[in-house]
Amino acid sequence: EEPIISGIAFTKDEAQLTVLGVPDQPGVAYALLGPIGENNIEVDMILQNVSELTDGAPLTDFTFTVHTGDFEAAKALLEKSAADLGARQVSGESGVAKVSLVGVGMRSHANVAARMFKALANENINLRMISTTEIKISIVIETKYLELAVRALHDEFELDQPPQKVESE
Amino acid sequence: EEPIISGIAFTKDEAQLTVLGVPDQPGVAYALLGPIGENNIEVDMILQNVSELTDGAPLTDFTFTVHTGDFEAAKALLEKSAADLGARQVSGESGVAKVSLVGVGMRSHANVAARMFKALANENINLRMISTTEIKISIVIETKYLELAVRALHDEFELDQPPQKVESE
Ligand SMILES: C[C@@H](O)[C@H](N)C(=O)O
Ligand SMILES: C[C@@H](O)[C@H](N)C(=O)O
């Protein structure tokens, strides 16, 4: 199936929060996210990779992004939950942007993603986070690289209209 | 905006591969994914969380999933790239399943995701990986929990038709 790239979407004014070293056990994701939702803080993406054994306990990092304006409130809630769970630390970065290549038929999208990653690497842009689905390949980068990233992808995928900022991306 | 849950999708016969301790520097994601795509191995999801300083160097883990049948070939390619990059190790799990809650209007989907995580935690199902977008909340679990997970979400979200396995999910 040939992938069709329909465009580039991005959001800026995002903040990333990560709880480092959480126990990889049932109930932990709920414990971390519950208070955030209950406080009506909007969450854009949630990301958690597999755990590793650290001194015999399986630990992983739980990350999500919020609007920059909610960074402090979310951080405070997380620090409380993190302490209860015995997590190591809460860290964050309040100036990140998400850039996504949007398309269809990207099921085996390894080649499309590799092209995207190469285009960004050529501009020396570091990919802080990566998260993909069949219709969207998203990366999170520092906000200062946003314009450069969008142009690089625009050029690489020969998207002839100016990139659209998609508010609800 | 009220979220509308349209259904549950899942894929089984997936295998997860992770390169542990890769340098968080431009070009690394491309170095890892390039050979996979060039060898025509289909990749379902790619997931990478933020890095942590380990002995002064920022390191992270790079994960992707493939069909179970491609596990060995992909692992061999990764081990080669991992060695070139000085990554710590390649690990994998060849029996995982992805379960996704699919909907619209889930922009501030913290509450929907929290409900999903709680329903699964109540069944003692461990969430190995989590990855979300505005229209899909995906988790990766051990294959043995797949049926239990789908039923739990089916009940929690009162989805009255039997869950559909979506091959192209
Ligand atoms: C880390 C967290 O996701 C845990 N695995 C859980 O199931 O809740
Ligand atoms: C780890 C990897 O994603 C790296 N940050 C890169 O930009 O390629």
Side-chain angles (χ1 to χ4, degrees):
Chain A
E1 194 181 1
E2 274 308 302
I4 301 170
I5 309 304
S6 55
I8 297 163
F10 63 90
T11 42
K12 49 185 191 179
D13 300 326
E14 288 213 28
Q16 162 228 314
L17 281 156
T18 302
V19 188
L20 296 154
V22 294
D24 184 19
Q25 292 162 13
V28 169
Y30 172 62
L32 290 170
L33 199 64
I36 301 294
E38 284 159 28
N39 282 274
N40 295 317
I41 292 172
E42 276 199 11
V43 166
D44 182 28
M45 68 197 287
I46 303 166
L47 199 84
Q48 177 212 299
N49 208 340
V50 292
S51 58
E52 289 186 56
L53 283 174
T54 312
D55 302 324
L59 301 180
T60 187
D61 302 329
F62 186 91
T63 295
F64 58 90
T65 60
V66 297
H67 296 306
T68 320
D70 289 328
F71 179 66
E72 292 302 335
K75 194 162 193 270
L77 288 167
L78 276 188
E79 279 164 344
K80 191 163 179 311
S81 313
D84 296 339
L85 290 167
R88 200 173 80 239
Q89 187 189 342
V90 174
S91 74
E93 173 61 54
S94 70
V96 296
K98 182 171 76 176
V99 184
S100 304
L101 201 65
V102 182
V104 292
M106 301 204 293
R107 175 158 177 71
S108 64
H109 60 261
N111 285 317
V112 177
R115 252 180 93 188
M116 180 184 184
F117 298 166
K118 186 177 188 215
L120 297 165
N122 287 344
E123 300 293 345
N124 225 24
I125 296 169
N126 193 47
L127 311 179
R128 292 176 61 89
M129 292 158 64
I130 300 170
S131 177
T132 75
T133 69
E134 186 184 347
I135 58 171
K136 190 149 88 168
I137 302 169
S138 296
I139 53 149
V140 171
I141 58 177
E142 282 180 66
T143 304
K144 66 182 182 184
Y145 294 124
L146 178 57
E147 193 160 343
L148 184 62
V150 170
R151 283 179 197 282
L153 296 178
H154 197 242
D155 292 346
E156 171 63 31
F157 292 96
E158 294 167 31
L159 295 160
D160 45 6
Q161 74 276 32
Q164 297 284 327
K165 176 177 179 185
V166 176
E167 282 299 335
S168 61
E169 162 19 28
Chain B
E1 194 181 2
E2 273 308 302
I4 302 171
I5 309 303
S6 56
I8 297 164
F10 62 90
T11 42
K12 49 186 193 179
D13 300 326
E14 289 214 28
Q16 161 229 314
L17 281 157
T18 302
V19 189
L20 296 154
V22 295
D24 184 20
Q25 293 161 14
V28 168
Y30 172 61
L32 291 170
L33 199 64
I36 301 294
E38 283 159 29
N39 281 275
N40 295 317
I41 293 171
E42 276 198 13
V43 167
D44 182 27
M45 69 197 287
I46 303 166
L47 198 83
Q48 177 211 300
N49 209 340
V50 292
S51 58
E52 288 185 57
L53 283 173
T54 311
D55 302 325
L59 301 180
T60 187
D61 303 329
F62 186 91
T63 294
F64 58 90
T65 61
V66 297
H67 296 306
T68 319
D70 289 329
F71 180 66
E72 292 300 336
K75 195 162 192 271
L77 288 166
L78 277 186
E79 279 165 345
K80 192 165 179 308
S81 314
D84 296 340
L85 290 167
R88 198 174 81 240
Q89 187 189 341
V90 173
S91 75
E93 172 62 51
S94 70
V96 295
K98 183 172 76 177
V99 183
S100 304
L101 202 64
V102 182
V104 292
M106 303 206 291
R107 176 159 175 72
S108 64
H109 60 259
N111 286 319
V112 177
R115 254 179 93 189
M116 179 183 184
F117 299 166
K118 184 175 190 217
L120 297 166
N122 285 345
E123 300 294 345
N124 225 26
I125 295 169
N126 194 46
L127 312 179
R128 293 176 61 88
M129 291 158 66
I130 300 170
S131 177
T132 74
T133 68
E134 186 185 347
I135 59 171
K136 191 150 85 169
I137 302 169
S138 294
I139 53 146
V140 171
I141 58 177
E142 283 179 68
T143 304
K144 66 183 183 184
Y145 294 124
L146 178 57
E147 193 159 343
L148 185 60
V150 170
R151 282 179 197 282
L153 294 179
H154 197 241
D155 292 346
E156 172 62 31
F157 291 96
E158 293 168 30
L159 296 161
D160 45 8
Q161 75 277 30
Q164 297 284 325
K165 175 177 180 188
V166 176
E167 283 298 338
S168 61
E169 156 25 28

